[in-house]
């Protein structure tokens, strides 16, 4: 069971940002847009997809597909 399912009052909504992680070029574009040069921000932003940039499923994608 995931956190959202186990604690629906604390997390009533889970949103999905992107199906795939974004490319390094897209991360750089967003970094400029948000005027943020932080490596931590860039790594987080680049990892929000349910699949990696090359199309490999992440655990969350398998969970979503199973529902």
């Amino acid at each position: 069971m995931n956190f959202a399912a186990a604690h629906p009052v604390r997390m009533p909504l889970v949103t999905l940002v992107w199906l795939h992680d974004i490319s390094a070029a897209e991360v750089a574009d967003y970094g400029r847009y948000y005027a943020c040069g932080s490596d931590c921000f860039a790594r987080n932003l680049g990892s929000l997809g349910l699949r990696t940039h090359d199309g490999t499923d992440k655990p969350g994608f398998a969970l979503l597909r199973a529902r």
Side-chain angles (χ1 to χ4, degrees):
M1 178 175 287
N2 64 41
F3 184 85
H7 306 282
V9 173
R10 291 178 60 197
M11 188 176 281
L13 173 70
V14 175
T15 61
L16 309 175
V17 178
W18 291 304
L19 178 59
H20 292 88
D21 290 345
I22 59 176
S23 69
E26 291 170 306
V27 169
D29 286 343
Y30 277 112
R32 284 189 292 277
Y33 175 80
Y34 289 112
C36 183
S38 165
D39 258 2
C40 184
F41 175 77
R43 283 192 309 274
N44 180 61
L45 191 60
S47 70
L48 295 176
L50 290 171
R51 304 176 90 198
T52 63
H53 184 64
D54 68 7
T56 304
D57 294 352
K58 293 181 181 180
F61 186 72
L63 179 67
L64 180 65
R65 200 189 286 190
R67 293 181 164 244

